[in-house]
Amino acid sequence: MTEVLVLGPGCSKCKETYRVVERVIAENHLDVKLSKIEDIAEMMSYNIMTTPAVVVDGTVKIKGHVPTADEVKKALGI
């Protein structure tokens, strides 16, 4: 199972990023564990300076903007 994390402090862009990722997962019937990380210390462990960020299996794939559905699909390898 793939693990996807959306990193962000809870701003509107972070919430929208979570919705985009959630929608891609649902529309493609993917076996993915999706979590949201709002803890600053945990976010910093990924060496990101801008949020929102999308982490797939421990690797930062998208950061600094709300991704499109196509960007999320590419990050997930579909």
Coordinates of all heavy atoms in Angstrom, one line a residue:
M1 N 0.8 -1.2 0.0 CA 0.0 0.0 0.0 C 0.9 1.2 0.0 O 1.9 1.3 0.7 CB -0.9 0.0 1.2 CG -1.7 1.3 1.3 SD -2.7 1.6 2.8 CE -3.3 0.0 3.3
T2 N 0.5 2.2 -0.8 CA 1.2 3.5 -0.9 C 0.8 4.4 0.2 O -0.4 4.4 0.6 CB 0.9 4.1 -2.2 OG1 1.3 3.3 -3.3 CG2 1.7 5.5 -2.4
E3 N 1.7 5.1 0.8 CA 1.4 6.1 1.9 C 1.6 7.5 1.3 O 2.7 7.8 0.8 CB 2.2 5.9 3.1 CG 1.8 6.9 4.2 CD 2.6 6.7 5.5 OE1 3.8 6.3 5.4 OE2 2.1 6.9 6.5
V4 N 0.5 8.3 1.4 CA 0.6 9.7 0.9 C 0.3 10.6 2.1 O -0.7 10.4 2.8 CB -0.4 9.9 -0.2 CG1 -0.4 11.4 -0.7 CG2 -0.1 9.0 -1.4
L5 N 1.2 11.6 2.2 CA 1.0 12.6 3.3 C 0.8 14.0 2.6 O 1.5 14.3 1.7 CB 2.2 12.7 4.2 CG 2.7 11.4 4.8 CD1 4.0 11.6 5.6 CD2 1.6 10.9 5.8
V6 N -0.1 14.8 3.1 CA -0.2 16.2 2.7 C 0.3 17.0 3.9 O -0.3 16.9 5.0 CB -1.7 16.5 2.4 CG1 -1.8 18.0 2.1 CG2 -2.2 15.7 1.2
L7 N 1.3 17.8 3.7 CA 1.9 18.6 4.7 C 1.4 20.0 4.6 O 1.5 20.6 3.5 CB 3.4 18.5 4.6 CG 4.1 17.2 4.5 CD1 5.6 17.4 4.4 CD2 3.8 16.2 5.6
G8 N 1.0 20.6 5.7 CA 0.6 22.0 5.7 C -0.1 22.3 7.0 O -0.6 21.5 7.7
P9 N 0.0 23.6 7.4 CA -0.5 24.0 8.7 C -2.0 24.2 8.8 O -2.6 24.5 9.8 CB 0.1 25.4 8.9 CG 0.3 25.9 7.5 CD 0.7 24.7 6.7
G10 N -2.7 23.9 7.7 CA -4.2 24.0 7.8 C -4.8 25.1 7.0 O -5.9 25.5 7.1
C11 N -3.9 25.8 6.2 CA -4.4 26.9 5.4 C -5.3 26.4 4.2 O -5.4 25.2 4.0 CB -3.1 27.6 4.8 SG -2.2 26.6 3.6
S12 N -5.9 27.4 3.5 CA -6.8 27.0 2.5 C -6.2 26.2 1.4 O -6.7 25.3 0.8 CB -7.5 28.2 1.9 OG -6.6 29.1 1.4
K13 N -4.9 26.6 1.0 CA -4.2 25.9 0.0 C -3.9 24.4 0.4 O -4.0 23.5 -0.4 CB -2.9 26.6 -0.4 CG -3.1 27.9 -1.1 CD -1.7 28.5 -1.5 CE -1.9 29.7 -2.3 NZ -0.7 30.3 -2.7
C14 N -3.6 24.2 1.7 CA -3.3 22.9 2.2 C -4.6 22.0 2.2 O -4.5 20.9 1.8 CB -2.8 23.0 3.6 SG -1.2 23.9 3.7
K15 N -5.7 22.6 2.5 CA -7.0 21.9 2.5 C -7.4 21.5 1.1 O -7.8 20.4 0.8 CB -8.1 22.7 3.2 CG -7.9 22.9 4.7 CD -8.9 23.8 5.3 CE -8.6 24.0 6.8 NZ -9.5 25.0 7.4
E16 N -7.2 22.5 0.2 CA -7.5 22.2 -1.2 C -6.6 21.1 -1.8 O -7.1 20.2 -2.5 CB -7.4 23.5 -2.1 CG -7.7 23.3 -3.5 CD -9.1 22.8 -3.8 OE1 -10.0 23.0 -3.0 OE2 -9.3 22.2 -4.9
T17 N -5.3 21.1 -1.4 CA -4.4 20.0 -1.9 C -4.9 18.7 -1.4 O -4.9 17.7 -2.1 CB -3.0 20.3 -1.4 OG1 -2.5 21.5 -1.9 CG2 -2.0 19.2 -1.7
Y18 N -5.3 18.6 -0.1 CA -5.8 17.4 0.4 C -7.0 16.9 -0.4 O -7.1 15.7 -0.7 CB -6.2 17.5 1.9 CG -6.6 16.3 2.6 CD1 -5.6 15.5 3.2 CD2 -7.9 15.8 2.6 CE1 -5.9 14.3 3.9 CE2 -8.2 14.6 3.2 CZ -7.2 13.9 3.9 OH -7.6 12.7 4.5
R19 N -7.9 17.8 -0.7 CA -9.1 17.5 -1.5 C -8.7 16.9 -2.9 O -9.3 16.0 -3.4 CB -10.1 18.6 -1.6 CG -10.8 18.9 -0.3 CD -12.0 19.9 -0.5 NE -11.5 21.3 -0.7 CZ -11.3 22.2 0.2 NH1 -11.5 21.9 1.5 NH2 -10.9 23.4 -0.1
V20 N -7.8 17.6 -3.5 CA -7.4 17.1 -4.9 C -6.8 15.7 -4.8 O -7.2 14.8 -5.6 CB -6.3 18.1 -5.5 CG1 -5.7 17.5 -6.7 CG2 -6.9 19.5 -5.8
V21 N -5.9 15.5 -3.8 CA -5.3 14.1 -3.7 C -6.4 13.1 -3.3 O -6.4 12.0 -3.9 CB -4.2 14.2 -2.6 CG1 -3.7 12.8 -2.3 CG2 -3.0 15.1 -3.0
E22 N -7.3 13.5 -2.4 CA -8.3 12.5 -2.0 C -9.2 12.2 -3.2 O -9.6 11.0 -3.4 CB -9.2 13.2 -1.0 CG -10.1 12.4 -0.2 CD -10.8 13.2 0.9 OE1 -11.2 14.3 0.7 OE2 -10.9 12.6 2.0
R23 N -9.5 13.2 -4.1 CA -10.4 12.9 -5.3 C -9.6 12.0 -6.3 O -10.3 11.1 -6.8 CB -10.7 14.3 -5.9 CG -11.7 14.2 -7.0 CD -12.2 15.5 -7.5 NE -11.2 16.3 -8.0 CZ -10.9 17.5 -7.5 NH1 -11.5 18.0 -6.5 NH2 -9.9 18.2 -8.1
V24 N -8.4 12.2 -6.5 CA -7.6 11.4 -7.4 C -7.6 9.9 -6.9 O -7.8 9.0 -7.7 CB -6.2 11.9 -7.6 CG1 -5.3 10.9 -8.4 CG2 -6.2 13.2 -8.4
I25 N -7.4 9.8 -5.6 CA -7.3 8.4 -5.1 C -8.7 7.7 -5.2 O -8.8 6.6 -5.7 CB -7.0 8.5 -3.6 CG1 -5.5 8.9 -3.4 CG2 -7.2 7.2 -2.9 CD1 -5.1 9.3 -2.0
A26 N -9.8 8.5 -4.9 CA -11.1 7.9 -5.1 C -11.5 7.6 -6.5 O -12.0 6.5 -6.8 CB -12.1 8.8 -4.4
E27 N -11.2 8.5 -7.4 CA -11.6 8.3 -8.8 C -10.8 7.2 -9.5 O -11.3 6.5 -10.4 CB -11.3 9.6 -9.6 CG -12.3 10.7 -9.3 CD -12.0 12.0 -10.0 OE1 -11.0 12.1 -10.6 OE2 -12.8 13.0 -9.8
N28 N -9.6 6.9 -9.0 CA -8.8 5.8 -9.6 C -8.8 4.5 -8.7 O -8.1 3.6 -9.0 CB -7.4 6.3 -9.8 CG -7.4 7.4 -10.9 OD1 -7.4 7.1 -12.1 ND2 -7.4 8.7 -10.5
H29 N -9.6 4.5 -7.7 CA -9.8 3.3 -6.8 C -8.4 2.8 -6.4 O -8.1 1.6 -6.5 CB -10.5 2.2 -7.6 CG -11.8 2.7 -8.2 ND1 -12.9 3.0 -7.4 CD2 -12.2 2.9 -9.5 CE1 -13.9 3.5 -8.2 NE2 -13.5 3.4 -9.4
L30 N -7.6 3.7 -5.9 CA -6.2 3.3 -5.4 C -6.2 2.9 -4.0 O -6.9 3.3 -3.1 CB -5.3 4.5 -5.6 CG -5.2 5.1 -7.0 CD1 -4.3 6.4 -7.0 CD2 -4.7 4.1 -8.0
D31 N -5.3 1.9 -3.7 CA -5.1 1.4 -2.4 C -4.0 2.3 -1.7 O -2.8 2.0 -1.8 CB -4.6 0.0 -2.4 CG -4.5 -0.6 -1.0 OD1 -5.1 -0.1 -0.1 OD2 -3.8 -1.7 -0.9
V32 N -4.4 3.4 -1.2 CA -3.5 4.4 -0.6 C -4.0 4.8 0.8 O -5.2 5.0 1.0 CB -3.5 5.7 -1.5 CG1 -2.7 6.8 -0.9 CG2 -2.9 5.3 -2.9
K33 N -3.0 5.0 1.7 CA -3.3 5.5 3.0 C -2.9 7.0 2.9 O -1.8 7.4 2.7 CB -2.4 4.8 4.0 CG -2.6 5.4 5.4 CD -1.7 4.8 6.4 CE -1.9 5.5 7.8 NZ -0.8 5.3 8.7
L34 N -4.0 7.8 3.1 CA -3.8 9.3 3.0 C -3.9 9.9 4.3 O -4.8 9.6 5.1 CB -4.9 9.9 2.1 CG -4.9 11.4 1.9 CD1 -3.6 11.9 1.3 CD2 -6.1 11.8 1.1
S35 N -2.9 10.7 4.7 CA -2.9 11.4 6.0 C -2.5 12.9 5.8 O -1.9 13.2 4.8 CB -1.8 10.8 6.9 OG -2.1 9.4 7.1
K36 N -2.9 13.7 6.8 CA -2.6 15.1 6.7 C -1.7 15.4 7.9 O -2.0 15.0 9.0 CB -3.8 15.9 6.8 CG -3.6 17.4 6.7 CD -4.8 18.2 6.2 CE -4.6 19.6 6.0 NZ -3.3 20.2 6.2
I37 N -0.6 16.0 7.7 CA 0.4 16.4 8.8 C 0.3 17.9 9.0 O 0.6 18.7 8.0 CB 1.8 15.9 8.4 CG1 1.9 14.5 8.1 CG2 2.8 16.3 9.5 CD1 1.5 13.5 9.2
E38 N 0.0 18.3 10.2 CA -0.1 19.8 10.5 C 1.0 20.2 11.5 O 1.1 21.4 11.8 CB -1.5 20.1 11.0 CG -2.5 20.0 9.9 CD -3.9 20.4 10.3 OE1 -4.1 20.7 11.5 OE2 -4.8 20.4 9.4
D39 N 1.7 19.2 12.1 CA 2.7 19.5 13.1 C 4.0 20.1 12.4 O 4.5 19.4 11.5 CB 3.0 18.2 13.8 CG 4.1 18.4 14.9 OD1 3.8 19.1 15.9 OD2 5.2 17.9 14.7
I40 N 4.3 21.3 12.8 CA 5.5 22.0 12.2 C 6.8 21.1 12.3 O 7.5 21.0 11.3 CB 5.7 23.4 12.9 CG1 4.4 24.2 12.7 CG2 6.9 24.0 12.3 CD1 4.1 24.6 11.3
A41 N 7.0 20.6 13.5 CA 8.3 19.8 13.6 C 8.3 18.6 12.7 O 9.4 18.3 12.1 CB 8.4 19.3 15.1
E42 N 7.2 17.9 12.5 CA 7.1 16.8 11.6 C 7.3 17.2 10.2 O 8.0 16.6 9.4 CB 5.8 16.0 11.8 CG 5.8 14.7 11.2 CD 4.6 13.8 11.5 OE1 3.9 14.1 12.5 OE2 4.5 12.8 10.9
M43 N 6.7 18.4 9.8 CA 6.8 18.9 8.5 C 8.3 19.2 8.2 O 8.8 19.0 7.1 CB 6.0 20.2 8.3 CG 4.5 19.9 8.1 SD 3.6 21.4 7.6 CE 3.2 22.1 9.2
M44 N 9.0 19.8 9.1 CA 10.4 20.2 8.9 C 11.3 19.0 8.7 O 12.3 19.1 8.1 CB 10.9 21.1 10.1 CG 10.1 22.4 10.3 SD 9.9 23.3 8.8 CE 11.5 23.7 8.3
S45 N 10.9 17.9 9.2 CA 11.7 16.7 9.0 C 11.8 16.3 7.5 O 12.6 15.5 7.1 CB 11.1 15.5 9.8 OG 9.9 15.0 9.3
Y46 N 10.9 16.8 6.7 CA 10.9 16.6 5.2 C 11.7 17.6 4.5 O 11.7 17.6 3.2 CB 9.5 16.5 4.7 CG 8.8 15.2 5.2 CD1 8.0 15.2 6.3 CD2 9.0 14.0 4.5 CE1 7.3 14.0 6.7 CE2 8.4 12.8 4.9 CZ 7.6 12.9 6.0 OH 7.0 11.7 6.4
N47 N 12.3 18.6 5.2 CA 13.1 19.6 4.6 C 12.4 20.4 3.6 O 12.9 20.7 2.5 CB 14.4 19.1 3.9 CG 15.4 18.6 5.0 OD1 15.5 19.2 6.1 ND2 16.1 17.5 4.7
I48 N 11.1 20.8 3.9 CA 10.4 21.6 3.0 C 10.3 23.0 3.6 O 10.3 23.2 4.8 CB 8.9 21.1 2.7 CG1 8.2 21.0 4.1 CG2 9.0 19.8 2.0 CD1 6.7 20.9 3.9
M49 N 10.4 24.0 2.7 CA 10.3 25.4 3.2 C 8.9 26.1 2.8 O 8.6 27.1 3.3 CB 11.4 26.2 2.6 CG 12.8 25.8 3.0 SD 12.8 25.6 4.8 CE 14.1 26.7 5.2
T50 N 8.2 25.4 1.9 CA 6.9 26.0 1.5 C 5.9 24.9 1.6 O 6.2 23.7 1.3 CB 7.0 26.5 0.1 OG1 7.4 25.5 -0.8 CG2 7.9 27.7 0.0
T51 N 4.7 25.3 1.9 CA 3.6 24.3 1.9 C 2.5 24.8 0.9 O 2.6 26.0 0.6 CB 2.9 24.2 3.3 OG1 2.5 25.5 3.8 CG2 3.9 23.6 4.3
P52 N 1.6 24.0 0.5 CA 1.5 22.6 0.8 C 2.5 21.7 0.2 O 3.1 22.2 -0.8 CB 0.1 22.3 0.3 CG -0.2 23.3 -0.8 CD 0.6 24.5 -0.4
A53 N 2.7 20.5 0.7 CA 3.6 19.6 0.1 C 2.9 18.2 0.1 O 2.1 17.9 1.0 CB 4.9 19.5 0.9
V54 N 3.2 17.4 -0.9 CA 2.7 16.1 -1.0 C 3.9 15.1 -1.0 O 4.8 15.2 -1.8 CB 1.9 15.9 -2.3 CG1 1.4 14.4 -2.5 CG2 0.7 16.8 -2.4
V55 N 3.8 14.2 0.0 CA 4.9 13.2 0.2 C 4.3 11.8 -0.2 O 3.3 11.4 0.3 CB 5.4 13.2 1.6 CG1 6.5 12.2 1.8 CG2 5.9 14.6 2.0
V56 N 5.0 11.1 -1.1 CA 4.6 9.8 -1.5 C 5.7 8.8 -1.0 O 6.8 8.9 -1.4 CB 4.4 9.7 -3.0 CG1 4.0 8.2 -3.4 CG2 3.4 10.7 -3.5
D57 N 5.3 7.9 -0.1 CA 6.2 6.9 0.4 C 7.5 7.5 0.9 O 8.6 7.0 0.6 CB 6.5 5.7 -0.6 CG 5.2 4.9 -0.8 OD1 4.4 4.7 0.1 OD2 5.1 4.3 -1.9
G58 N 7.4 8.6 1.6 CA 8.6 9.2 2.2 C 9.4 10.2 1.4 O 10.3 10.8 1.8
T59 N 9.0 10.3 0.1 CA 9.6 11.3 -0.8 C 8.7 12.4 -1.2 O 7.6 12.2 -1.6 CB 10.0 10.5 -2.1 OG1 10.8 9.4 -1.8 CG2 10.8 11.4 -3.1
V60 N 9.3 13.7 -1.0 CA 8.5 14.9 -1.4 C 8.4 14.9 -2.9 O 9.4 14.9 -3.6 CB 9.2 16.1 -0.8 CG1 8.4 17.4 -1.3 CG2 9.3 16.1 0.7
K61 N 7.1 14.9 -3.4 CA 6.9 14.9 -4.8 C 6.4 16.2 -5.3 O 6.7 16.6 -6.5 CB 5.8 13.8 -5.2 CG 6.3 12.4 -4.9 CD 7.3 11.9 -5.9 CE 7.5 10.4 -5.7 NZ 8.4 9.9 -6.7
I62 N 5.6 17.0 -4.5 CA 5.1 18.3 -4.9 C 5.2 19.2 -3.7 O 5.0 18.8 -2.5 CB 3.6 18.1 -5.2 CG1 3.4 17.1 -6.4 CG2 2.9 19.5 -5.5 CD1 1.9 16.7 -6.6
K63 N 5.6 20.5 -3.9 CA 5.6 21.4 -2.8 C 5.4 22.8 -3.3 O 5.8 23.2 -4.4 CB 7.0 21.3 -2.0 CG 8.2 21.6 -2.8 CD 9.4 21.4 -2.0 CE 10.7 21.5 -2.9 NZ 11.9 21.3 -2.1
G64 N 4.8 23.6 -2.5 CA 4.7 25.1 -2.7 C 3.5 25.5 -3.5 O 3.3 26.7 -3.7
H65 N 2.7 24.6 -3.9 CA 1.5 25.0 -4.7 C 0.4 23.9 -4.6 O 0.7 22.8 -4.3 CB 1.8 25.3 -6.1 CG 2.2 24.1 -6.9 ND1 3.5 23.6 -6.8 CD2 1.5 23.3 -7.8 CE1 3.6 22.5 -7.7 NE2 2.4 22.4 -8.2
V66 N -0.8 24.3 -4.9 CA -1.9 23.3 -5.0 C -1.8 22.6 -6.3 O -1.8 23.2 -7.4 CB -3.3 24.0 -4.9 CG1 -4.4 23.0 -5.1 CG2 -3.5 24.8 -3.6
P67 N -1.6 21.3 -6.3 CA -1.3 20.5 -7.5 C -2.6 20.3 -8.3 O -3.7 20.3 -7.7 CB -0.8 19.2 -7.0 CG -1.4 19.0 -5.7 CD -1.5 20.4 -5.1
T68 N -2.5 20.1 -9.6 CA -3.6 19.7 -10.4 C -3.8 18.2 -10.2 O -2.9 17.5 -9.7 CB -3.3 20.0 -11.9 OG1 -2.2 19.2 -12.3 CG2 -3.0 21.4 -12.1
A69 N -4.9 17.7 -10.7 CA -5.1 16.2 -10.6 C -4.1 15.5 -11.4 O -3.6 14.4 -11.0 CB -6.5 15.9 -11.1
D70 N -3.7 16.1 -12.6 CA -2.6 15.4 -13.4 C -1.3 15.3 -12.7 O -0.6 14.3 -12.8 CB -2.5 16.1 -14.7 CG -3.6 15.8 -15.7 OD1 -4.3 14.8 -15.5 OD2 -3.8 16.6 -16.6
E71 N -0.9 16.4 -11.9 CA 0.3 16.4 -11.1 C 0.3 15.3 -10.1 O 1.3 14.6 -9.8 CB 0.6 17.7 -10.5 CG 1.0 18.8 -11.4 CD 1.2 20.1 -10.6 OE1 0.2 20.8 -10.3 OE2 2.4 20.5 -10.4
V72 N -0.9 15.1 -9.4 CA -1.0 14.1 -8.4 C -0.9 12.7 -9.0 O -0.2 11.9 -8.5 CB -2.4 14.3 -7.6 CG1 -2.6 13.1 -6.7 CG2 -2.4 15.6 -6.9
K73 N -1.6 12.5 -10.2 CA -1.5 11.2 -10.8 C 0.0 10.9 -11.2 O 0.4 9.8 -11.0 CB -2.3 11.2 -12.1 CG -3.8 11.2 -11.9 CD -4.6 11.3 -13.2 CE -6.1 11.4 -12.9 NZ -6.8 11.5 -14.2
K74 N 0.7 11.9 -11.7 CA 2.1 11.7 -12.0 C 2.9 11.3 -10.7 O 3.7 10.4 -10.8 CB 2.7 12.9 -12.7 CG 4.1 12.7 -13.1 CD 4.6 14.0 -13.8 CE 6.1 13.8 -14.2 NZ 6.6 15.0 -14.8
A75 N 2.7 12.0 -9.6 CA 3.4 11.7 -8.4 C 3.1 10.3 -7.9 O 3.9 9.7 -7.3 CB 3.0 12.8 -7.3
L76 N 1.8 9.8 -8.2 CA 1.4 8.5 -7.7 C 1.8 7.4 -8.7 O 1.6 6.3 -8.5 CB -0.1 8.5 -7.4 CG -0.5 9.3 -6.3 CD1 -2.1 9.3 -6.2 CD2 0.0 8.8 -5.0
G77 N 2.3 7.8 -9.9 CA 2.8 6.9 -10.9 C 1.6 6.3 -11.7 O 1.7 5.1 -12.1
I78 N 0.5 7.0 -11.9 CA -0.6 6.5 -12.7 C -0.8 7.5 -13.9 O -0.4 8.5 -13.9 CB -1.9 6.4 -11.9 CG1 -2.3 7.7 -11.2 CG2 -1.7 5.3 -10.8 CD1 -3.7 7.7 -10.6

